[in-house]
Amino acid sequence: MIVFNNLLLEVSNKSHCLFEEWKYLLLQEKCSLCTRLIHPLINKMDFETYSPPANYLVNNRRIVSDVLCQFCLPVLADCQAVLNSHQYFYQADSNPVICDLKVASGAFFIEPIDSLIYRLKYSEDVLLGKDLACLMYRAWQLLKAEIAKGGRCEEVCLVPVPLHKKRLNERGFNQAEVLAQQLSSILSIKVESKLLCRIRNTASQQKLSKVERARNVVAAFKVVNDEAFVGKKVILVDDVCTSAATLTECAKAMKAGGAEAIHALTVAFVP
């Protein structure tokens, strides 16, 4: 029986290797940074042409990249996570209340992080979401202590910054939701993507000043009902934080929906 089981195991391993061989030969997936062909079978590799996929150990789980190679992994490993604080006013019972929004980012918005985010958003390279979520995990480590204040982290939900319906139809996906879903699989935290919506199709924030950014997104977000976030601790998820105008407007809307506490996670921060 033991010999039979060992034989089955050997056949299974060889079948898996054969499958991986054909899969990578057919797909010919290239690393998004160095353009080497990604191939997991290291012992059969020409390192000028091929590279093994990036391999992350995140939250005690082994995560294998689909689009980045092991040679380029140190570029992400060298990124410095950063925690910032942004204040905003919320009108509660006719009285303005100053709220504090903690925003943790996995890296500064510099090469190659900015290129990877651009590929995710505009080249539909959604497979990069897994790698960028792994980068955000270090930002989560910075934010975790803040979230734990006054209650357990299990009470938290992830909320991707929503796109307007028109923009979503044009792009076909919401990059913030791609990141939130990948983070959810790492952190085992539920994603709530239907409770907050964007009610105005605002102009792109990219070339606006800090003041213009704030004006551009005023009252751009709304919760689905007045009790959508009652008792919830929320982590907003987005790709980039520059002035935090979008994040703070989302926070105001969710405060109106009863959110207990609101923080944010982004891939990158623009200093």
Side-chain angles (χ1 to χ4, degrees):
M1 188 66 180
I2 295 175
V3 174
F4 180 71
N5 286 340
N6 288 339
L7 182 61
L8 281 178
L9 183 61
E10 185 178 348
V11 170
S12 175
N13 288 337
K14 286 183 177 179
S15 298
H16 176 72
C17 288
L18 186 62
F19 170 76
E20 292 292 329
E21 188 82 43
W22 277 103
K23 184 178 78 170
Y24 283 87
L25 284 173
L26 289 171
L27 293 179
Q28 295 285 286
E29 190 69 63
K30 290 184 178 181
C31 174
S32 292
L33 287 179
C34 72
T35 69
R36 283 188 182 95
L37 291 170
I38 297 174
H39 201 298
L41 303 180
I42 302 173
N43 59 333
K44 296 184 179 181
M45 197 175 298
D46 165 17
F47 287 103
E48 291 297 319
T49 309
Y50 294 100
S51 174
N55 204 309
Y56 308 92
L57 182 62
V58 179
N59 205 18
N60 297 318
R61 288 179 52 211
R62 187 68 60 182
I63 298 176
V64 179
S65 174
D66 296 307
V67 287
L68 289 182
C69 77
Q70 192 69 26
F71 292 146
C72 292
L73 183 58
V75 177
L76 297 188
D78 288 342
C79 291
Q80 180 184 351
V82 58
L83 180 66
N84 291 289
S85 184
H86 302 269
Q87 290 186 332
Y88 64 96
F89 289 96
Y90 167 68
Q91 200 76 16
D93 300 324
S94 302
N95 297 313
V97 177
I98 299 177
C99 299
D100 195 35
L101 178 71
K102 292 286 192 302
V103 182
S105 306
F108 287 98
F109 191 68
I110 55 176
E111 280 288 351
I113 304 303
D114 53 353
S115 294
L116 294 178
I117 292 172
Y118 188 90
R119 284 178 63 91
L120 170 65
K121 290 177 71 171
Y122 303 113
S123 298
E124 301 181 16
D125 198 349
V126 294
L127 293 177
L128 270 170
K130 186 193 296 185
D131 299 270
L132 295 177
C134 289
L135 187 62
M136 295 170 79
Y137 178 75
R138 282 185 291 177
W140 159 258
Q141 296 294 88
L142 293 179
L143 196 60
K144 197 173 180 180
E146 293 294 327
I147 297 168
K149 290 178 181 177
R152 297 181 303 171
C153 288
E154 284 79 4
E155 301 169 6
V156 176
C157 66
L158 299 170
V159 177
V161 172
L163 292 179
H164 189 268
K165 286 182 179 180
K166 183 179 179 182
R167 187 75 57 84
L168 183 59
N169 290 336
E170 290 172 353
R171 188 172 296 171
F173 68 97
N174 178 2
Q175 73 279 358
E177 187 165 357
V178 170
L179 294 167
Q181 293 294 350
Q182 291 292 344
L183 273 172
S184 176
S185 67
I186 294 171
L187 303 175
S188 299
I189 296 176
K190 185 180 179 181
V191 177
E192 296 283 7
S193 58
K194 306 295 183 185
L195 300 183
L196 180 69
C197 57
R198 191 185 289 248
I199 56 176
R200 287 200 299 109
N201 188 21
T202 55
S204 171
Q205 298 274 77
Q206 196 170 5
K207 296 182 180 180
L208 301 181
S209 67
K210 185 174 181 179
V211 173
E212 290 170 333
R213 284 170 179 266
R215 288 175 182 165
N216 188 43
V217 292
V218 168
F221 302 93
K222 186 178 180 181
V223 292
V224 293
N225 62 68
D226 293 341
E227 298 182 351
F229 290 98
V230 170
K232 294 182 184 295
K233 291 186 176 181
V234 178
I235 303 177
L236 277 163
V237 178
D238 207 0
D239 52 356
V240 180
C241 174
T242 303
S243 65
T246 299
L247 295 172
T248 53
E249 279 301 314
C250 287
K252 290 177 187 178
M254 290 189 294
K255 273 288 187 184
E260 181 182 330
I262 304 165
H263 305 287
L265 275 174
T266 68
V267 177
F269 168 69
V270 180

